[in-house]
Amino acid sequence: MTDLLVYGATPGGIACAVRAAREGLDVVLVSYWPHLGGGLVNGVSLWDTFYDGARSPIFDEVRDSIREHYRRTYGADSEQYHAALPGHRLTDHATGSFEPSVAEGVFEALLEPHENLLVLRGHEVTEAEVEGRMIRRVRVMARNGSRDSWFEAATFVDATYEGDLLALAGAGYRVGREGRSEYGEAFAGKLFAKKQLSTLEGTFADRPMRMNTSPREAFEGRLNLRTWMLPTVAILEGSTGEGDCAVQACNYRLALSRDPANRRPVERPASYDRSLYTHFSPDAGIFAIGLINNTCCWNGGRPIAWNFDYAEADGNTRHEILRRHRDFAVGALYFLQNDEAMAPAGRARNQEWGLARDQFPDNDNLPHECYIREARRMVGRYVLSERDGLVAPGQKRAPIHSDAVAFTEWPMDSVQCLPETLTTEEGEVIPEGAFFLSEESRPGQIPYRCLLPKELDNLLVPVCLSCTHVFWGAARLEPVWLQTGEAAGFAAALSAKQGIPPAQLDPGELIRTLVEHRFMVSFFNDVDPTDAAPWVPAVQYLGTLGFFDGYDALPHEPLGASAETWADRWKQLSPRAAALDPNLTRGESALQVFRDLRK
């Protein structure tokens, strides 16, 4: 019997296991893969986030440890260290780059010191025994057949990208897209959406320049977020909004190097089929993102609709689907570098790249895992939808949730889903299912209810959490999952302390625990959750209770005319509420209310 069993050594799963172990729980972490760290050690080698600040302790620790590696190894003035830091917020989209092997080393160091944390590599959960509303035990098998054991636990966490444990235990889930009318989502279902470069006039370093950035509020300095250049601007004819089984395409994020000493030539795969790539433009190139040490992780080679059966497939079928995706990615690279259909100059530029010899040396220099953008999504006790990522009526921020354990800030988005295109009158080819709502999306909150299945009381799901396909684009990022995973670890620890399953926790107590550990659960432009000021947790907590209607907390300004409104809100929450002094700052006032609500 153990306190907690976590299935899935994704970043979210590792954050959950480490947090629970640090809180004194006996933890078992089961990993299907021998290498730990999920997407961040398999080619997602940059931080997919529009926010450059602190968000939760283990996320901050991982991010800072990666940066420190480059500072310590190459020096504070080195190109490598500066590439690991975010670039200027308004002039580029760089959020900090790193090599997969460096991220893996950081995760291994994070797990190492905990004697109460058992890691089972190369194992899978194959069966779950459920009694009433509780998982009692799960069967864990070694992939090589050397181990077959049952593990009992008080709490279970599904941190896989596929949602395998929640499915085995009988929790409700969805694979595919909701219809437009199901949750009233404009971008749901079958969709053709037009993007265009946004053009905002501005100045930087005292010189005028044309900024291709969105959202406008971020460009104008009213939203402390990074900007993007290709917002979706229109839904086109042919968008029926009909739901289906389609999910976002996935791909292998190949690690490529243009350093001759580290570059391994790309060989033609045995299964190579040239016809799969003839749609490429003759000028198509290798778009290098996350460039560091002359190494990047290529986000190309993305076959459409090959993954629809992946989530529910058996092991052998999954492996075949993954093999086809891997060969497609390598074949696409080979085509770009060698096929005569490519323009000679572009072909020569593409030949500057090869597989990075120093990455994935035990796997033929190919990532161990495919980048699974979307598989199962749990249908939990609350389903986040498009409205949760947009400004709420009567407010200046997205809808507020009193049980928020994390926040989103990446725009709601999706890559192509169906292998269909629409050609506009101007000749622009629009891929089906792709959208990027960088102009209208706003930081949202993830409720604790989205980690809880309806059917079970001792299962937490911080990765395949409860949301629609449209909102999934804002939630499916590793910074978010590091935060929801750590929140699940805190929930498991509180549950063990109180002797109750996670579903019976008082959400207020959990949220207060999180904010006191410097979680950002309410996004504010002007509050650093790691600031030692005593009012910081109070502002974060009251941000979940409707005390702030916008993204500016203004903690150092007098409460002023808001004193009466705040006092009325306080009275709704506590019998000990009193009048608030309008001359106190908003931070001091928040602390007064917070101390009362903690009692």
Side-chain angles (χ1 to χ4, degrees), residues 71-87:
R71 189 202 64 79
R72 186 178 63 250
T73 305
Y74 301 101
D77 296 326
S78 65
E79 292 182 3
Q80 292 89 342
Y81 178 59
H82 286 284
L85 299 173

Side-chain angles (χ1 to χ4, degrees), residues 401-402 445 506-513 515 519 521-522 524 535-548 573 593-594 597-598:
H401 296 284
S402 62
Q445 294 181 325
D506 171 18
E509 182 177 3
L510 173 60
I511 312 312
R512 289 190 292 272
T513 299
V515 299
F519 263 64
V521 297
S522 305
F524 289 110
W535 52 261
V536 171
V539 168
Q540 281 294 311
Y541 184 61
L542 267 60
T544 70
L545 298 176
F547 283 76
F548 302 90
L573 300 170
V593 176
F594 181 65
L597 297 178
R598 264 192 322 193

